[in-house]
Amino acid sequence: DRSLGNFYQEGQCTFYVFEERLKIDKRIPTSWGDAKHWAERAKKDGFKVNGKPAKGSILQTDYGDLGHVAIVKEVHSNGNIVVSDMNYEKPYEVTKRVITSNRLHNYQFIHEKI
């Protein structure tokens, strides 16, 4: 379901992450565009962006043509994280997966406004 104000394309990772952040009362702008731009635009909008995941933060990569975003659901004591996303494999499909700590250097994490 589309929340009022979600202008991201349905079935895509950006749409899903916007909705997931609303559920945990951590609203983000609708002006960040494709996922590959999110970290850069989040910084410009005053959000904290770094390489450290936290529950509820947004995992971001600019890998691929449009990049990808996911929501961090869990951070384990061993450094592994569990993320949930949409369109990792195909549009509208929601997946949940583990990303191991040795792969986290490939991502940036968007937190709250500073």
Side-chain angles (χ1 to χ4, degrees), residues 17-28 47 56 71 111-113:
V17 168
F18 181 91
E19 294 293 329
E20 290 296 295
R21 292 280 293 197
L22 277 180
K23 290 178 186 175
I24 59 173
D25 199 27
K26 295 183 177 185
R27 181 176 283 278
I28 57 172
F47 285 76
I71 189 94
H111 302 275
E112 310 320 311
K113 272 197 168 190

Side-chain angles (χ1 to χ4, degrees), residues 50-66:
N50 62 25
K52 297 178 183 175
K55 185 175 180 178
S57 65
I58 300 166
L59 171 144
Q60 187 272 339
T61 180
D62 55 3
Y63 182 78
D65 291 339
L66 303 175

Side-chain angles (χ1 to χ4, degrees), residues 7-84:
F7 301 113
Y8 293 106
Q9 185 177 348
E10 287 187 39
Q12 301 300 312
C13 60
T14 50
F15 177 89
Y16 177 77
V17 168
F18 181 91
E19 294 293 329
E20 290 296 295
R21 292 280 293 197
L22 277 180
K23 290 178 186 175
I24 59 173
D25 199 27
K26 295 183 177 185
R27 181 176 283 278
I28 57 172
T30 58
S31 58
W32 290 351
D34 294 331
K36 67 182 178 182
H37 303 295
W38 276 37
E40 164 195 329
R41 292 181 179 164
K43 284 180 192 176
K44 287 180 183 175
D45 284 345
F47 285 76
K48 180 179 177 183
V49 178
N50 62 25
K52 297 178 183 175
K55 185 175 180 178
S57 65
I58 300 166
L59 171 144
Q60 187 272 339
T61 180
D62 55 3
Y63 182 78
D65 291 339
L66 303 175
H68 191 70
V69 288
I71 189 94
V72 177
K73 294 292 190 174
E74 301 170 29
V75 178
H76 294 233
S77 59
N78 65 0
N80 295 347
I81 64 172
V82 176
V83 299
S84 179

